[in-house]
Amino acid sequence: MVRPMQSTRPTLLGARIPRIEDDRLLTGRARYVADVVLPGMVEAAFVRSELPHAEIHRVDVSAALEAGAHAAYGGPDLPVGPVPDLVPWVRPVQHFPLARDRVRYVGCPLAVVVADDRYLAEDAAELVEVDLRPLPVVETAEAALADDAPLLYPEWGDNRLLSITPENAAVDAAFDRFRTISGTYTTHRYAAAPLEPRGVVAEYRDDRLTVWTSTQAAHLVRTMLADVLGLAERDVRVITPDVGGGFGQKNVIYPEEYLVPWLAMRLRRPVRWIEDRHEHLFTSSHARDMSIELSAAVRDDGTIAALRGRVRADLGSGETFPGGYGPAVVAVSSLCGPYRIPHLCVAVEGVVTNKTPTNGYRGYGMPEGTFAIERLVDKIGRELGIDPLDLRRRMIIGPEDLPYETAAGARLDSGSHREAFERAVELGEQMLAEERERAEPGAHLGVGYATYIEGVAASAFPVTAIRSGQDSADVRFDTDGGVTVAVGISAMGQGAHTAVATLAAEALAIPIDQVRVVMGDTDTAPFGLGSFASRSVLVAGGAVAEAAEVLRRKGIRIAAHLLEAAPEDLELADGGFQVRGSPGSTVPWAQIARVALTRTFDLPPGTAPGLDARASYEPPGIEYAPRPDGKMNASANYTNSTHTAVVEVDPGTGVVRVRRYAAVHDCGRVINPMTVAGQIHGGVAQGIGGVLHEQLPYEDGQPLATTFTDYVLPTACEIPDITTEELCSPAPEIPFGVKGAGEAGIIGPPAAIARAVEHALEPLGVTDVDATPLTPPVVRRLIEEARS
């Protein structure tokens, strides 16, 4: 691990520094994909399947061409694809950017039409004639696994994309010895619904392809484009302009990202496609849709000796890259939480159905896993007559347990698991008491808790087979002492520019306004995996720290030469170097840069010109495949948090209102408290929306929520004031001691709110709130079932 040279100036870490990107974003100077306008540009529109499952007999685009379209192609006519199936441990789906022989979900692209503008392209697309022969529909994972289920991929012999069935003798022994308590916990289908839908612009000029796309992983898009289109990666440039929210949904490579560039190459003119909200809600990847059957072998004191069960994920059609099964695997690793549970054996099934493919969404399986274990712990307490909070106290790891390895293989080297839990309980009891004081008589109020760990900077290898866990940074001084930092991560509203600038300024002891940050362009940024899994600050910070160390060492040599002092007598000061104990003897970075770049004759003998460095950083300890015992430490580190929610339930209407919410969170060393609080608040808001409002239901394979009239998002009225408190357990092996904060806010709400609703309705006999969403009809049904 790189340990930064000690500086004499106060640290920037932990300071409430205003975000450097906000002025541009708030004054309308941001540039999104829809703002990219190129000379001679034409627009694309897609013909999509209206049937969930069918054979393709004919796609006739001739009428569209006769109506003035510049180009029109159906799947059988398109020489593009298939998208390679790179992961050997799952079944191949062999999907093409345009469907060729079969459609497997409503919205599957069948044809593409290009015209002078979007309106003409849409009109021409309506003229495309499609002959589809309907096939039986498979709508749920349970139906897909029936013996007589229609097969989406007949060559498989069943509808399992992924099946993992581990064995563990220690788990079997525990279940033979102890009492068993079980439950099934279901998280429904919903999605990220970012403010900006997807979009792609492509231009082919001078035998080089340039693609602007709203993505979280520009270099991954470049690799896959080069593969599918048959180009060298050096001949493909991918630019990610400003991204209006990603949340994992834009960490997927979609058919349009292959087709629009191919059209630009074919037509030799720029092509643009911008997704509308209707398209977005049934063609961009969905999420969650997971059922977890979980059993615990329970000792007499309620503590858990072992867990076993099965995670079953409805993957939709499965036609996606990276693979959509990742959240199911991550859910398994989340089941132990911060608890001392010594043994685990949980199977995983990824099942295909005739619905939109699922993939990652903020939390990536951790909300589902946390929901299951937290609900099961509450059930154990209820059945054994033990206060569920006391039961958690018996199992939560403390400082004396660290470092600790969970039964799933996660290596926890730091954290404040017990402290965060106790503080959240204190806040929860206080908030509930305050709400009871101001509530109307007879109000149904309840409080719930969720405690968990979050793996950060996880390996991407299990779902891509081509990406591991590293990232890169270029740090370059200019002659005036300013610094340009180019990194491989991506910005999507999470404050990445400010975080990188802060870390670079901290490492080099320069003002933050002297740092310029570059990202999101494969021509100007070094190779990186992008932003997902709360990894950005950790991996970019590690790369910046290593590059900065190279520059500090070179800078101190130059400064020592200029001061005629020994390098060991110098220290990093504010803006440069000084002789230790002699503040007047200072050489600023600007002078060092001028010597290194222009006055090279003043360099120490044997020192090469230039003041720049490139570094790649791979966090220590990440495993890319399971060990022989099935355990796997897939993340660089782990944050911890406990959430508490206070709700009020109207039994007459079934409406649940979150009155108060608090999150006690530990993401290691905090770079910027305002940014971390914003991440937690945003995640909690999305979590509340997912539990109480948002859903993507289907009937006979037809999506029923394809506009914001039906897909109900929470507004400011539904989100309460959120209290956040940060604890600080620095990661001992990570530069700057940072962990990550991008996904923690969304993990706790499902479990905390479900328990709070259950608590509020206990006087009415409601127990075992074991599924989401908790919309008014669902809550009314829970009450009616309890009364009957």
Side-chain angles (χ1 to χ4, degrees):
M1 169 185 164
V2 174
R3 298 192 181 277
M5 180 185 300
Q6 293 300 308
S7 171
T8 59
R9 76 166 185 178
T11 181
L12 296 174
L13 304 187
R16 299 175 66 84
I17 298 171
R19 300 199 332 173
I20 62 178
E21 54 267 76
D22 284 356
D23 179 66
R24 186 176 58 82
L25 295 172
L26 294 173
T27 55
R29 291 182 286 119
R31 190 185 191 216
Y32 300 93
V33 172
D35 297 318
V36 177
V37 178
L38 303 173
M41 186 171 71
V42 290
E43 305 262 356
F46 286 86
V47 179
R48 301 184 184 277
S49 175
E50 297 179 354
L51 296 179
H53 200 194
E55 290 181 348
I56 301 172
H57 276 244
R58 184 172 61 92
V59 178
D60 186 352
V61 300
S62 58
L65 292 170
E66 292 169 2
H70 292 293
Y73 297 94
D77 307 321
L78 194 78
V80 180
V83 177
D85 292 296
L86 300 173
V87 180
W89 46 88
V90 299
R91 282 169 160 168
V93 296
Q94 285 285 298
H95 71 285
F96 289 80
L98 290 180
R100 291 193 168 188
D101 56 356
R102 182 183 289 214
V103 296
R104 297 179 177 87
Y105 64 97
V106 171
C108 177
L110 294 166
V112 61
V113 177
V114 180
D116 283 332
D117 59 44
R118 179 64 179 264
Y119 301 100
L120 293 174
E122 293 279 6
D123 289 344
E126 292 184 0
L127 301 176
V128 174
E129 296 181 12
V130 177
D131 182 7
L132 300 180
R133 307 292 171 85
L135 294 169
V137 174
V138 182
E139 189 165 278
T140 66
E142 292 70 25
L145 294 175
D147 292 338
D148 59 349
L151 300 181
L152 273 70
Y153 301 89
E155 64 274 18
W156 292 0
D158 58 35
N159 285 315
R160 291 178 176 87
L161 177 71
L162 171 73
S163 182
I164 302 173
T165 55
E167 297 180 355
N168 189 319
V171 169
D172 296 338
F175 275 86
D176 288 340
R177 180 180 177 187
F178 298 113
R179 173 178 178 171
T180 299
I181 297 178
S182 305
T184 299
Y185 304 98
T186 302
T187 305
H188 67 294
R189 175 176 286 241
Y190 56 105
L195 186 63
E196 178 206 25
R198 298 183 292 115
V200 187
V201 177
E203 180 181 40
Y204 192 66
R205 182 190 294 269
D206 299 327
D207 296 325
R208 197 154 190 263
L209 178 66
T210 301
V211 179
W212 292 260
T213 182
S214 187
T215 182
Q216 297 172 223
H219 283 92
L220 181 60
V221 172
R222 184 184 69 173
T223 295
M224 296 302 293
L225 273 177
D227 189 312
V228 173
L229 300 182
L231 300 172
E233 284 199 44
R234 62 184 176 275
D235 293 330
V236 181
R237 179 185 185 185
V238 175
I239 301 172
T240 301
D242 292 300
V243 176
F247 313 118
Q249 195 177 53
K250 293 179 182 175
N251 201 38
V252 179
I253 303 177
Y254 292 92
E256 298 85 359
E257 287 174 298
Y258 302 110
L259 289 167
V260 172
W262 181 82
L263 289 165
M265 295 172 63
R266 183 82 170 195
L267 299 176
R268 299 285 171 159
R269 62 190 301 182
V271 180
R272 179 172 69 174
W273 169 77
I274 303 298
E275 183 181 55
D276 63 34
R277 185 61 64 181
H278 177 64
E279 282 182 296
H280 178 85
L281 284 171
F282 65 91
T283 65
S284 291
S285 65
H286 293 174
R288 312 300 192 224
D289 211 350
M290 190 181 298
S291 178
I292 301 179
E293 300 172 12
L294 196 60
S295 297
V298 181
R299 304 182 184 97
D300 291 341
D301 64 354
T303 59
I304 298 173
L307 288 172
R308 70 181 176 193
R310 180 184 62 204
V311 174
R312 177 178 290 166
D314 184 333
L315 304 179
S317 75
E319 296 164 294
T320 181
F321 182 87
Y325 56 86
V329 177
V330 172
V332 174
S333 67
S334 302
L335 290 173
C336 294
Y339 301 127
R340 287 187 296 269
I341 300 174
H343 303 294
L344 175 76
C345 185
V346 176
V348 177
E349 284 183 333
V351 183
V352 292
T353 62
N354 292 125
K355 291 186 280 193
T356 301
T358 60
N359 212 289
Y361 173 33
R362 198 175 191 177
Y364 202 79
M366 289 178 280
E368 298 94 301
T370 298
F371 180 72
I373 186 60
E374 291 296 272
R375 296 278 57 225
L376 183 61
V377 169
D378 285 326
K379 184 175 184 178
I380 292 169
R382 182 171 61 252
E383 292 200 7
L384 298 185
I386 301 171
D387 183 334
L389 298 182
D390 287 339
L391 178 54
R392 287 175 170 84
R393 290 185 177 102
R394 297 173 188 178
M395 293 193 294
I396 291 178
I397 61 175
E400 69 280 3
D401 298 307
L402 298 173
Y404 180 83
E405 182 174 281
T406 72
R411 294 170 182 157
L412 312 182
D413 59 12
S414 56
S416 54
H417 312 86
R418 192 177 297 162
E419 181 183 358
F421 173 76
E422 294 295 353
R423 177 57 181 155
V425 170
E426 181 182 348
L427 288 171
E429 292 173 347
Q430 176 185 331
M431 293 189 305
L432 180 62
E434 291 170 355
E435 289 302 308
R436 281 175 171 164
E437 286 182 4
R438 62 171 63 104
E440 297 290 332
H444 289 263
L445 293 165
V447 63
Y449 303 92
T451 189
Y452 57 88
I453 58 173
E454 175 206 1
V456 300
S459 166
F461 192 76
V463 293
T464 66
I466 53 172
R467 291 290 188 265
S468 49
Q470 83 290 352
D471 229 279
S472 306
D474 285 341
V475 182
R476 183 187 72 245
F477 271 93
D478 300 315
T479 55
D480 60 0
V483 172
T484 297
V485 182
V487 290
I489 64 170
S490 298
M492 48 184 170
Q494 79 275 43
H497 286 84
T498 301
V500 171
T502 302
L503 294 176
E506 175 74 8
L508 297 169
I510 60 176
I512 193 172
D513 59 9
Q514 289 182 210
V515 181
R516 176 175 177 265
V517 179
V518 175
M519 62 179 73
D521 184 337
T522 59
D523 269 13
T524 60
F527 183 85
L529 306 187
S531 291
F532 57 92
S534 300
R535 72 188 299 272
S536 300
V537 166
L538 192 152
V539 293
V544 166
E546 293 196 355
E549 177 64 15
V550 173
L551 296 176
R552 286 195 303 268
R553 293 185 184 281
K554 186 168 186 177
I556 205 168
R557 288 198 306 272
I558 298 171
H561 178 70
L562 296 175
L563 290 169
E564 297 182 349
E568 58 269 19
D569 292 336
L570 267 59
E571 62 185 355
L572 192 60
D574 192 2
F577 298 90
Q578 69 181 23
V579 176
R580 191 173 289 105
S582 181
S585 303
T586 302
V587 177
W589 274 112
Q591 183 179 354
I592 296 170
R594 281 194 298 272
V595 169
L597 296 168
T598 63
R599 296 177 58 89
T600 55
F601 48 80
D602 284 335
L603 286 169
T607 301
L611 198 57
D612 58 86
R614 169 173 288 190
S616 293
Y617 174 75
E618 185 162 23
I622 298 179
E623 295 173 331
Y624 298 104
R627 291 171 245 159
D629 62 1
K631 296 181 179 181
M632 181 177 176
N633 184 61
S635 296
N637 214 286
Y638 298 83
T639 72
N640 67 270
S641 187
T642 299
H643 288 202
T644 178
V646 175
V647 307
E648 181 178 357
V649 185
D650 183 336
T653 64
V655 171
V656 177
R657 293 183 176 87
V658 182
R659 293 299 191 191
R660 304 282 291 278
Y661 203 97
V664 184
H665 180 246
D666 188 337
C667 61
R669 193 167 188 185
V670 173
I671 298 173
N672 190 321
M674 292 190 298
T675 298
V676 172
Q679 288 289 296
I680 300 300
H681 287 195
V684 169
Q686 286 183 298
I688 291 172
V691 176
L692 299 181
H693 304 284
E694 302 170 48
Q695 54 180 324
L696 288 163
Y698 278 75
E699 184 174 326
D700 297 327
Q702 292 292 333
L704 302 183
T706 61
T707 71
F708 278 161
T709 301
D710 305 302
Y711 190 83
V712 181
L713 292 168
T715 69
C717 298
E718 285 74 48
I719 306 301
D721 289 337
I722 300 168
T723 299
T724 58
E725 291 189 6
E726 278 296 329
L727 304 176
C728 181
S729 302
E733 297 184 358
I734 305 297
F736 305 105
V738 300
K739 296 181 184 177
E743 299 179 272
I746 204 171
I747 299 172
I753 292 172
R755 171 54 192 155
V757 169
E758 186 179 84
H759 184 217
L761 297 179
E762 280 176 354
L764 302 180
V766 173
T767 59
D768 275 346
V769 177
D770 54 14
T772 64
L774 294 173
T775 54
V778 172
V779 174
R780 283 287 307 147
R781 186 167 64 249
L782 289 172
I783 295 170
E784 290 166 3
E785 289 173 353
R787 285 173 173 166
S788 65

